Amino acid sequence: MEKTFYVTTPIYYVNDIPHLGHAYATLVADTLARYHRLAGWNTYFLTGTDEHGEKIWKTVQQLGRTPKEYVDEIAESGFKALWQRWGLSNNDFIRTTEPRHIQYVQKILQRLYDSGDIYFAEYEGLYSIGSERYVTEKELVEGADGIKRLPGDRDPPELRREANYFFKLEKYRPWLIEYLNEHPNLIEPVNYRNEVLEMLREPIGDLSISRPVARLPWGIPIPWDEGDVTYVWFDALLNYVSALGGEGAEKFNTYWHKTWHLVGKDILKTHSVFWLPMLKAAGLPLYEKLVVHAHILGFDGRKMGKSLGNAVDPIEMESRYGIDALRYALLRETTFQADSAFGEAILVNRLNSDLANDLGNLLSRVMSMLEKFTNSKIPVCNTLEAREESIKAAALKLPETILDEIRGLRFHVAIEKIMEFVRDLNRYVAESKPWDLAKLEDKTKLHTVLYTLVEGIRVASVLLEPVIPNKAKEIRAQLGIEGDFVLEPAWGLTKSGSQVAPSTVLFPKVDIATLETKKESVVTEVVSPVVEAPVQAFIGIEDFAKVQLKVAEVLSCERVPKADKLLNLTVAIGDEKRTILSGIAEYYTAEEMVGKRVVVVYNLAPRKMRGIESQGMILAATDENGKVVIVSPERLIPSGVEVR
Ligand code: MSP
């Protein structure tokens, strides 16, 4: 397989400073890029800013600023500076106001005009400034105020009648359907591909790609008509190619055919229905994959918004807990298919349980044992017995597994698999009792155990490096392990005899009770996310596909103190362990739940009840007497299997 990888983020509008959504998408792309680089792929990572269009023009007007001065400030001191401060690994940062981009957009416009794919006509339609595109009646949803808007937009669309240049989009619809059918993995996860196919079932019309200068002077001039500027999406989408220098450039030749665009589900249509025909019409090869991610919701499961008081400021989170903890929590808590809740308490819980407890404690225990038992030197490794062999075997298998999970867009599963390895090392400490081995005359076994632990931690640090790049290096620095490592099966790379550094706490534990955002810890009841889609009698298969149901096995169960209805269940879902709270205590005792196989909603946003985070929901029915009955598979099947 050719190991080349080009990943892009959406280029962000500069009408606002970076928020958690921007941070999330950029961190996901950064992590994808880092895993590929670590695995030896020739990788290029692009991000940037989208600086033209009505939205920006309106903002500038309201602020009474000149556009150039305003966009420079947000792009440079807002976005670019933040990514630099966080040490992100982007190879380039493109701004759509740069000459290299403007020239390329004009070249493509001219090409499409010359080939007859662009024409001039009068048009009347509904325009959304928020999403910068014409919308159809069908796409609008009635809000609580009775006004119809595009989901996610603040303002309703405006009726417009204007003479514009048009791109012959509709002409490409049959080709696009066929192309999507021939390339089932082009858009992932699959629920988004299905959404696009759904959009293409009816005519999509042609795409208006210009605005009169008289109304909107802030855009790229149409090369053959100085009275018009380009439509902002036509301009923006081309950044992915202009940043590589366009056709024929070395970077374009190297990377373009291996492109993965990462975008939020809000801009799925523009990156599929608009962008693919644009590429085809321009005679450019198509991208390899469109990776679509869901949205982050507030800790209460509602869409994040300043007015709801559930918005999380990424800069504040980073300054309180560090960039590595923010990265870890975001990537561990979210899935690409379905929206995920996020908030300070969620971050702190992950920080405490996974990073401070599982990973941090393992390191500090091993460091203090080295100090006590080997004079802070890495010991030699003697004969491996079955237990050490099993740790080694897991370590050798993980690099490939993790890259597969990451390329399969299951970041949370990848991280969980690494943490399971870390937890196994903790179990190994407890089982092998090095403090007892240290009392023996013969230190052979003690040394083997300590070496296995250090080498295990080294492997974990390499596997986790794309997620927590700074702390991964710090772990190895503490253990006195020098050099860079790659994501490849390897065991025994730690050098015996080297000196470890003085131990410091990797991730200080945070007292959850001291959180400033008190609101989060008092949410006890389930709040349904804001419903954005119109209510329908039937749902399509693509809607059902959004709900992931899995078989789980109840490992242990206890009553939640001072809650009459709640049971606290620890369940195994394949390799993963989760805590689930369920309101079934009146119908089932804790003892009788243990060992049961149940069906859980696997991708439900976690929710806090009584100070405990519930990570899913157990399916149950209510019988004719109002008694709750758990749904179980009809015969014994392994936990973790999908229910469809
Ligand atoms: N400028 C266009 C993109 C042009 S790409 C050729 C744009 N910009 S944006 O500033 O609105 O950024 C949208 C992207 O930010 C989303 O697609 C998503 O990646 C990210 N997010 C914004 N809000 C988000 C959440 N609440 N949750 C997760 N990410 C979301 O659209």
Side-chain angles (χ1 to χ4, degrees), residues 497-519:
S498 60
Q499 188 78 29
V500 307
S503 167
T504 51
V505 178
L506 195 63
F507 287 99
K509 229 174 165 164
V510 179
D511 181 358
I512 196 111
T514 63
L515 289 195
E516 280 175 34
T517 332
K518 287 282 186 301
K519 276 170 266 154

Side-chain angles (χ1 to χ4, degrees), residues 277-530:
M278 274 174 69
L279 288 167
K280 170 86 175 150
L284 290 162
L286 307 184
Y287 51 73
E288 185 176 273
K289 200 179 285 298
L290 181 64
V291 175
V292 187
H293 69 79
H295 283 165
I296 300 190
L297 307 172
F299 62 86
D300 52 1
R302 296 179 206 231
K303 194 167 178 188
M304 260 187 207
K306 285 189 190 132
S307 57
L308 287 174
N310 63 357
V312 178
D313 178 359
I315 301 171
E316 204 177 309
M317 291 302 106
E318 175 259 323
S319 60
R320 269 188 215 162
Y321 306 111
I323 183 62
D324 287 37
L326 176 64
R327 293 176 72 111
Y328 183 90
L330 271 174
L331 300 173
R332 174 62 186 80
E333 289 288 337
T334 54
T335 66
F336 286 65
Q337 286 94 337
D339 295 349
S340 310
F342 194 76
E344 190 171 3
I346 294 176
L347 187 160
V348 168
N349 271 329
R350 276 290 166 207
L351 169 60
N352 284 346
S353 66
D354 297 18
L355 297 176
N357 259 359
D358 295 342
L359 184 62
N361 275 351
L362 174 67
L363 178 68
S364 70
R365 286 164 94 186
V366 171
M367 289 291 290
S368 80
M369 288 192 288
L370 290 171
E371 199 180 308
K372 274 199 212 122
F373 305 144
T374 67
N375 231 344
S376 295
K377 282 206 164 53
I378 307 285
V380 287
C381 184
N382 302 299
T383 319
L384 303 188
E385 290 180 59
R387 187 65 174 98
E388 289 82 32
E389 286 291 357
S390 84
I391 291 172
K392 178 179 166 185
L396 290 175
K397 204 168 153 243
L398 274 167
E400 194 188 332
T401 311
I402 297 309
L403 190 65
D404 280 354
E405 296 293 0
I406 291 291
R407 284 181 59 83
L409 311 176
R410 293 172 298 274
F411 280 35
H412 62 301
V413 176
I415 295 174
E416 190 50 32
K417 287 189 173 166
I418 305 170
M419 291 313 290
E420 189 40 44
F421 177 69
V422 168
R423 285 191 284 268
D424 191 47
L425 292 177
N426 274 316
R427 281 195 291 272
Y428 175 58
V429 175
E431 288 161 18
S432 55
K433 301 194 179 63
W435 44 91
D436 285 347
L437 297 174
K439 291 181 198 143
L440 304 176
E441 187 75 19
D442 179 1
K443 303 281 188 263
T444 327
K445 184 69 194 177
L446 171 73
H447 289 170
T448 303
V449 169
L450 290 179
Y451 185 90
T452 304
L453 285 166
V454 171
E455 179 62 0
I457 298 175
R458 182 197 67 79
V459 169
S461 82
V462 176
L463 294 167
L464 280 172
E465 192 167 321
V467 180
I468 48 168
N470 308 293
K471 293 292 178 178
K473 291 214 171 75
E474 196 183 313
I475 291 172
R476 298 201 294 268
Q478 285 202 29
L479 289 170
I481 302 173
E482 285 170 7
D484 292 326
F485 296 92
V486 290
L487 192 69
E488 265 172 22
W491 184 261
L493 298 186
T494 298
K495 289 197 187 75
S496 302
S498 60
Q499 188 78 29
V500 307
S503 167
T504 51
V505 178
L506 195 63
F507 287 99
K509 229 174 165 164
V510 179
D511 181 358
I512 196 111
T514 63
L515 289 195
E516 280 175 34
T517 332
K518 287 282 186 301
K519 276 170 266 154
E520 282 181 53
S521 22
V522 297
V523 179
T524 51
E525 59 187 303
V526 175
V527 191
S528 355
V530 177

Side-chain angles (χ1 to χ4, degrees), residues 52 102 105-106 109 213 217-230:
H52 292 122
I102 294 172
V105 171
Q106 291 186 323
L109 278 167
V213 172
W218 188 235
I220 298 179
I222 298 276
W224 62 90
D225 184 344
E226 53 189 32
D228 280 58
V229 296
T230 346

Side-chain angles (χ1 to χ4, degrees), residues 9-13 19-22 24-25 50 55 233 236-237 239-240 263-267 271 293-296 304:
T9 71
I11 48 169
Y12 306 112
Y13 289 129
H19 60 63
L20 190 70
H22 304 134
Y24 173 66
D50 187 357
K55 205 157 56 172
W233 273 104
L237 287 162
N239 89 86
Y240 302 131
V263 299
K265 64 180 187 179
D266 51 321
I267 52 176
H271 280 80
H293 69 79
H295 283 165
I296 300 190
M304 260 187 207

